[in-house]
Amino acid sequence: MDGNGRWAKSRLMPRLAGHKEGVENFKRIAEYLIELDIEVATFYAFSTENWKRPQDEVENIMSLLVEYLEKWLAQNNEKNMRFRFIGDRRAFSPRIQALMDEVEKKSSHFRNQLNLALNYGSRDELARAFRLLAEEGKKDITPEDISSHLYTVGQPDVDLIIRTGGEIRLSNFLLYQSAYAEFYFSDKLWPDFSSEDLDDAIAYFNHRERRFGGVIERKP
């Protein structure tokens, strides 16, 4: 979800205004995903590298996170998705960790899955998986072993990655899970990315030939 800061700057507004609008658009797109009956969706909200940003910006983002989680818990969530927060939670305050736990518990009965990546980095995730496997005494490690120790355990591999903001890179996001993912890059800044833009991305995906390293044989 890239481009919140640039969205605000282009409107002569503080970066916090861009992050606030980014949260609002996250809500809109998440609701649309429910309408589309998407099985699993993952939003990259805050990376392990984002702590390097100015302290006041990080604090504002954490305040927005608390506000969003508290509002989610206070409302009647008849139509929603099952939350899973992926990433290392230990860097967050006890209050935020408690809110994460409560949201996961309250949303556990929903069928569709929404992953919110917070303090997430794929390299850290893989290092964590290897440490856990080593602690278990695993030696002949298989891809299935690695998958079973990732934050996304039990979920399918990524089909489609959408990146907004005109950037063309993965930025340490789901490196292992996206081995055969299709990529869709949009110049739209995240606050401007609409449900229609999501439709375009899905239409692009639906026209891709997915060979997974093989060859598709066509009948003459």
Side-chain angles (χ1 to χ4, degrees):
M1 298 182 288
D2 201 14
N4 293 336
R6 283 175 284 160
W7 183 91
K9 184 178 180 181
S10 69
R11 290 161 174 77
L12 304 178
M13 301 165 69
R15 289 178 63 86
L16 177 59
H19 292 307
K20 286 182 176 178
E21 187 59 33
V23 171
E24 292 304 312
N25 198 40
F26 163 75
K27 296 177 185 177
R28 291 190 290 266
I29 296 298
E31 290 174 0
Y32 189 55
L33 290 171
I34 297 171
E35 293 180 26
L36 297 178
D37 197 27
I38 298 297
E39 181 182 354
V40 182
T42 302
F43 289 83
Y44 203 2
F46 194 86
S47 76
T48 50
E49 290 76 28
N50 286 155
W51 297 105
K52 301 174 185 177
R53 294 186 177 190
Q55 184 177 356
D56 61 338
E57 182 174 354
V58 172
E59 290 176 352
N60 286 330
I61 291 172
M62 293 302 112
S63 295
L64 287 174
L65 175 60
V66 169
E67 180 182 346
Y68 171 75
L69 296 177
E70 288 182 339
K71 284 184 177 179
W72 191 94
L73 288 167
Q75 66 188 8
N76 182 20
N77 298 290
E78 293 183 356
K79 293 183 178 180
N80 220 302
M81 301 178 82
R82 184 172 66 252
F83 274 86
R84 180 186 293 183
F85 297 96
I86 65 173
D88 188 349
R89 304 185 190 191
R90 294 174 297 177
F92 295 107
S93 68
R95 180 186 183 189
I96 291 177
Q97 292 185 51
L99 286 170
M100 290 178 178
D101 292 340
E102 193 173 354
V103 167
E104 285 184 336
K105 182 178 179 180
K106 186 175 180 180
S107 67
S108 61
H109 63 285
F110 293 115
R111 181 173 59 85
N112 295 14
Q113 180 75 52
L114 189 152
N115 299 320
L116 196 58
L118 292 164
N119 194 29
Y120 175 86
S122 191
R123 288 180 173 180
D124 283 357
E125 178 184 33
L126 288 168
R128 169 183 174 272
F130 297 146
R131 284 196 301 270
L132 293 173
L133 288 165
E135 291 170 3
E136 296 170 7
K138 272 283 189 180
K139 294 183 179 179
D140 296 324
I141 297 174
T142 67
E144 291 74 23
D145 292 327
I146 298 171
S147 295
S148 67
H149 289 75
L150 299 177
Y151 291 122
T152 54
V153 58
Q155 298 179 11
D157 284 341
V158 177
D159 288 313
L160 172 65
I161 290 182
I162 301 170
R163 173 130 194 191
T164 63
E167 304 292 354
I168 304 177
R169 57 176 179 266
L170 270 175
S171 296
N172 202 14
F173 179 63
L174 298 177
L175 302 177
Y176 192 84
Q177 298 92 326
S178 61
Y180 287 101
E182 303 292 332
F183 292 83
Y184 184 87
F185 299 101
S186 172
D187 290 332
K188 290 280 191 76
L189 302 177
W190 171 247
D192 292 328
F193 190 83
S194 67
S195 57
E196 290 79 13
D197 295 316
L198 181 58
D199 287 337
D200 290 341
I202 293 173
Y204 165 84
F205 171 80
N206 286 335
H207 283 89
R208 297 290 297 166
E209 288 187 348
R210 309 193 72 203
R211 297 186 295 274
F212 300 96
V215 175
I216 297 176
E217 294 187 3
R218 295 180 175 87
K219 295 181 180 180

